[in-house]
Amino acid sequence: MEQQSQHRANLPDAVLLQPIVATRSSFYYLALALLGATSFAFFAWVWQLRQGLGVTGLNVPVYWGVYITNFVFFIGISHAGTLISAILRLCDAEWRRSITRAAEVITVLVLFFGVGSVIVDLGRPDRMLNVLLHPNFRSPLLWDVCSISLYLTASSIYLYLPLIPDLAMLRDYGGKYTWFYRILALGWSGTDRQRRILHRAISVMAVLVIPIAISVHTVVSWVFGMTVQPMWHSTIFGPYFVVGAIFSGIASLIIAMALIRRIYFLQDYLKPIHFNNLGLLLLVMALLWFYFTFAEHLTTFYGNEPAHLIVFYSKLTGPYAPLFWSMVVTCFVIPVALLSRARTRTVTGTVIASISVNIGMWLERFTIVVPTLSQPRLPWAKSAYSATWVEIGMTLGFGATFIFLYMLFTKFFPIVSIWEVQEGREQAVPEVVARVRSYLPGTVATTGQSEE
Amino acid sequence: MKLKVNRRNFLQFAAGGALGVATSEISLRGLSDFNAAISPEEVEVPGGPEAWRLSLCSLCPARCGLRVRTIGSRAVKIQGNPLHPVNHEGLCPRGIAGLQALYHPDRLRAPLKNLGTRKSPRWQEISWEEATVAVTNRLRELRQTGRAHTVVCVDRREPDLFSRLLRRFLSAYGSPNYLAMPSGLAALQTAAYLQQGVTKSIAYDLDNTRYLLSFGVNLLEGWGAPTSVMRSFGRWRDPAAGRRTKFTQVESRFSLTAARADEWVALRPGTEAALALGLAYVLITEGLVDDKFIRDHTFGFEDWRDATGKSHLGFRSLVLSDYRLDDVSTLTGVPAETILRLAREFGRSRPALAIGDRQTSTLAGHPYAAMAVHALNALVGSIDSPGGVLLQADLPWSDEDAKPSSLPHPRIDQAPEHPVPGHSLARLPQAILSRKPYSVQALLLHDVNPVFGLPNGEAFRQAFAEVPFIVSFASFLDETSALADVVLPAATDLERWQAADSPPTFPFAMVSIAPPAIAPRNAARHPADFILALARGLGEPVSSALPFAGAEEYLRRQVGDLFAAESGTVFSTSLEETWHRLLERSGWWAPTYSTADELWEQMKQQGGWWEPTYYYGQWDRVFQTPSGRFEFFSQLLSRWAAAHPEFARAAGLGQGDDRLFLPHQPPLLEASPEYPLLLLPVEVLPLAGGHGAHLPYLQQIAGPHLFAHWDSWMEIHPETAHRLGIADGDRVWVESPRSRAQVRARLYAGARPDVVHLPLGYGHTEGSPWGRRGVNPLHLLEERYEPLAGIAQTDRTYVKVYRT
Amino acid sequence: MPRWGMAIDLAKCTACQACIVACQSENNVPCVPPEEAARGRILSWINILPELEGEYPRLTMRLMPIPCLHCDSPPCILVCPVGATGINPEGIVRQTFSRCIGCRYCTNACPYTRRVFNWYKPEFPGEFSQALNPDVSVRPTGVVEKCTLCHHRLLQAREEARAADRPLAEGDYVPACVEVCPAGAMYFGDLDDPASSVAELARSPRAFRLLEELGTHPKVIYLAQGEWSSGTTESTSR
């Protein structure tokens, strides 16, 4: 027994198994706090079910508010995982190895909260099944249902497949819940044939997941884009939302990585270079996002159509100006300032930028949804929209529950893909050397360690 | 890995497929059932046999004819009676909201007796028998001790055949005190008396006029018979009519009526008379007047000499000297070009009609201004002619009950310093408190609320506290009923026998009746039934004066008189109506009934009886002045003033100044530095008449121009508000010398910069919680009464406004 | 097959709001408490839109009663995920209350903002529930509702016509708002019947459609106010 634990402790990457093996008391305290927020949200939800949607701050004409903002926001974050890890895999970017698992988990978990946000927004959630029984395929919301279901399925598979070797490792480790790991590991024994199939499957999924992911946030944007409402009916909404999704996704990933790095002592695996690379990606997305936002607003301004200008000015100088300009600062000014210089593109720097981005992107969703609704084409009575405790409680509860579930995941599964890190250590270096050699003139592409 | 296609695999595949389909089929249906099961049930509305019944609305004096849809014993919809000559199938929003009055949660359920004091009442529900006995005993006692005259009855102002019953009762009982709430037409009727010598209701032929000049009349927001007015409005602008009647609204505020007019002329509040006389100036100087009419049917147009040889001022001289175009323009704020153009349009579009001044259904203007406006009609010959001013036709029975009382004691609300009508409800508190000419011992109130609805409401509260016995008929425990000793729940419109005669401004003689559409809720009863029971209980001579078993029998007898009149027709389609008119013009009368019983049955079926023909040119009916003509110079007034020298002083003119007897601009009240803004109460259609605040349907639509509902709002001009640091929606204090109140300010560009407006109907302190919101502007007003008729002047209070 | 449409003559409308109350009474639309009204949650299927322009004393105000415009190309029916709203063959944009899941996508898609939502369970305090119309369902909490052109009246009129063995005549089927208008400013009928008053008015030079440029093809047509001119009423003396 003693020997076994010694052996375990001396395993390379033993720290990656540490969260599964042992749980500190801080976990329980944090879990309790988060579950407290969850129960508050649950209470708010039950209250809303019993009273009606009137307990929110919604009114005429602002029929959508915080809940739909959350929906778009959470679905946006879901692009973190799958898209990032899929793209990085396809590009053979070696620095992805420690990141992919953390990213994929974000995706799978947050999709539930995205869907949950829509469900709590329904006036009749008890009639939810009508969506399956009487679908109207001309409705963008129904495209959402299909697309998100597909994405959830694909992402789950895409999370599960690379998890299999780690599950096998856990099965063989002989700790708690071995039976659980055995079932999930599907009899993985690491043979060449299995590895080949696995790699093939992962590659196929990586290719499939990308268009699915893009379609998800495109159809979410089309919920707004397919109406005729001013500043919703915009042709660039599809790509704009996808860019925004990837943007907030990367930011969420950075935050998650920084947290698990600190809490689980993964400094060796999540190094400044990872944050640096992700920070560069974040910078690119920030610039792209700004480009789209600028184009969107400039064309509206030039178009000079009265109905559009009313919404436009309500965002730039009117009641929503504070939110709008905060969004610009938090989505563009702060991130670009921090990420464009290598000196500030540190772990801390990228985390600050990411937090700023996430706040900004939530504001961005809000300033897309609410100003258009509050300035309808026909000038009916104005009612200001301000969220009530129910909406705020549910939002915080959703966030807390998400964090809790993420934490729970780390307790049962390794948050860094162990076998991929090992693979990187063992096989990736020579592969990369060979690859680079193949680019350069005068050498024949060879594999192996000839000119080490 | 290849899939071997052999029989075993195929069978497995097929079996699996079939099983899959079968289970999915079940699960889809199961899903659907499950879905239905977890959705909570919806409200089931019980059905029943459908029947359409007639009724009459009483939320305003128009008394529109209703057609009520009943399902079983429930009334589910109120619509217009297409055969009723006033409204046909149209209704104003209040008529439809009558259902909420019927089924209101705060309605009184049973007679109440106050076991406590006036200040802190303690109400106990009693039975009708107990209530009847209590009231009968008290009245009997008063009569037997020779104090029958000390009983005062205050009735609502809506025309009702049952009002006659009440008057007859009082008369037989021995009291001269039949009082009624004041009407918004009081100034107009005063002018009609002074200039035409008539006390009958003035009517207007709105359908046939081609030019309507309205001096602040609340035409589309509850004035007159609202649905009838709106119907005429629709006809003016109907493309099928071939021509469009111009409607010009002269008003300081951009009201809904002004917004719907063809032209809105903004003027300084209170200067309507000056503008009317300025128009007269142009009409006279440009020769646009109807010379023939002036020559043949008017008196006092030119200067004249009386029997003693004294020279008197004529209308023409007054106008030409005092109301020159530029002076009028300066005073009223209306550009001279506009006055010129309006007068020319008015003079050239015949028939033209001028109405005014400043009337809503409850607020009357100033009689001198009404005289000035009425004079315009005389100038263009629009009196008793198509499209002009008419006199409401008489009902074909003698109105014994309306004759002035021949009893020895005078009325309690004497106002002898007013030439007309010589009495005023506003006097009642003073009379009660001073016990002159006698001490009031009992009050009989029929559906009235003077404590809320009159500017001196507080005085009424104090006075009523002194009266030993008060009985009040009401549907809700309102401010006035809360002071009573016995409160009797009145049946609402749909629950009782209804009868009405012609509404205000309606030219034709008419009697509408309707049986109860549904059974009374709870213990509500028809006030007429109670009065008849009282009469029986009081014995001779009261019981023989009212020998009717109930409301129905009383009506039946009245209809018998109608039959004897041998004229008119039962409500019918427009085709039949035209045929009837044709016949009558030729002197024929071909009724659809041959006995009184048939008339009664037909009236119940169709809604009533009326005489659709108006006989124009009956000058001896229309002019009952000393000269037998329209009097620009009112001799009735000059003769009366000769006997009452203090009148001149009250009117602000010198003794012997002939302007007292001619239409003129009354003196204006200026603002003071401390109170710079004029407060003008406004009446909005949903709350017209001051009722309706307890009905959610009406509260939801109260102020459509500002999206205002459920609460008072104060309209203030944006610049004025900006100057005072007030933003839209801020809570502010409105303070007058009399009182102050908090209200929400709303910026409205339609308010004159130096005027603020508050809507009537809000500010209840008793009754339904739905009505207990907002501010009652009447309690902010200073009590001012004009000298001719003692009409409360509601446009003379200045206020200051500041943030809370 | 008739194509039902409405014409509203803005010259004749007095903005009395009888149409609003008649609709609420006919269709069991609940009133909301004052606190809810202050939050802009009054339920009305037809409402008056005021537009004030100018400065004192030169002001104009347009007051338009606007029900659901029953567009021929309604943006709202496309977006309902469960098909709770759609357009029937006679042109009425129907609302199936029992299927609505309350997502409020349609309320946001309507460019005229003419759909309303039940934020709470409808309340009929006291005995107000006695006045409910049995021909119209009472909607529960959480569903969207809107003007149905009093479709229940069409069904009843058809039944009566069938029972009397005659075709449906003009005037047999009118919505509650059109029926009650005291100024006679509202007209209703078959737009495809060239002889009907609505079809004639739709051809009037005064006719316009609201937000026509959006391509919704609304079937409620407005007739512009028009103006008085002295030529129309001047006459020589009597």
Side-chain angles (χ1 to χ4, degrees), chain A residues 340-357:
Chain A
S340 48
R341 298 181 307 152
R343 261 195 343 141
T344 42
R345 209 164 42 233
T346 57
V347 176
T348 318
T350 48
V351 169
I352 294 175
S354 300
I355 294 175
S356 171
V357 164

Side-chain angles (χ1 to χ4, degrees), chain B residues 466-764:
Chain B
E466 303 288 318
V467 176
F469 185 69
I470 302 180
V471 181
S472 178
F473 256 104
S475 296
F476 298 86
L477 198 60
D478 54 48
E479 287 82 356
T480 305
S481 299
L483 299 171
D485 295 290
V486 177
V487 182
L488 301 169
T492 61
D493 304 333
L494 272 59
E495 299 166 315
R496 54 189 266 179
W497 274 94
Q498 292 274 56
D501 45 20
S502 315
T505 74
F506 191 73
F508 308 103
M510 185 173 74
V511 176
S512 320
I513 65 168
I518 62 170
R521 324 279 315 146
N522 311 308
R525 278 201 195 171
H526 200 317
D529 286 334
F530 180 75
I531 296 293
L532 292 170
L534 263 189
R536 278 193 294 277
L538 286 171
E540 298 292 331
V542 187
S543 55
S544 56
L546 289 92
F548 314 111
E552 182 179 354
E553 197 194 318
Y554 171 69
L555 279 182
R556 178 68 190 75
R557 301 273 199 97
Q558 297 289 95
V559 167
D561 290 344
L562 264 185
F563 176 74
E566 293 195 352
S567 69
T569 172
V570 175
F571 292 169
S572 50
T573 63
S574 56
L575 200 62
E576 291 161 335
E577 177 189 316
T578 312
W579 177 236
H580 173 89
R581 279 205 177 110
L582 202 67
L583 284 180
E584 281 233 329
R585 285 250 155 74
S586 324
W588 293 88
W589 179 59
T592 49
Y593 47 90
S594 50
T595 65
D597 280 328
E598 275 180 29
L599 173 60
W600 172 244
E601 287 307 314
Q602 285 180 19
M603 280 176 76
K604 280 197 293 180
Q605 283 245 344
Q606 320 275 78
W609 167 98
W610 70 315
E611 173 49 83
T613 314
Y614 186 86
Y615 297 97
Y616 298 100
Q618 293 185 314
W619 304 116
D620 49 350
R621 185 178 87 98
V622 170
F623 298 133
Q624 290 178 13
T625 51
S627 63
R629 294 167 170 230
F630 179 90
E631 296 198 342
F632 286 105
F633 184 108
S634 174
Q635 294 189 92
L636 281 167
L637 189 53
S638 66
R639 288 173 196 187
W640 182 86
H644 296 84
E646 69 284 1
F647 169 69
R649 217 175 15 254
L653 291 171
Q655 181 74 354
D657 187 338
D658 278 338
R659 279 180 294 169
L660 275 177
F661 320 116
L662 289 159
H664 63 274
Q665 169 63 45
L668 290 170
L669 194 65
E670 298 290 336
S672 65
E674 210 201 334
Y675 298 104
L677 298 168
L678 182 66
L679 172 64
L680 285 183
V682 300
E683 210 166 300
V684 292
L685 178 62
L687 300 175
H691 326 297
H694 59 299
L695 301 180
Y697 277 155
L698 301 179
Q699 286 274 23
Q700 289 189 155
I701 61 171
H705 57 305
L706 291 173
F707 298 113
H709 28 68
W710 280 107
D711 219 340
S712 285
W713 67 91
M714 185 194 74
E715 291 173 5
I716 182 169
H717 192 265
E719 273 170 30
T720 313
H722 181 72
R723 217 176 2 98
L724 295 168
I726 296 171
D728 192 36
D730 279 354
R731 284 200 82 81
V732 298
W733 283 106
V734 187
E735 184 176 324
S736 77
R738 186 174 162 198
S739 165
R740 72 171 186 164
Q742 253 197 47
V743 73
R744 208 169 280 283
R746 298 300 306 274
L747 304 193
Y748 183 50
R752 205 176 151 83
D754 52 358
V755 178
V756 294
H757 301 281
L758 282 171
L760 288 170
Y762 286 103
H764 282 280

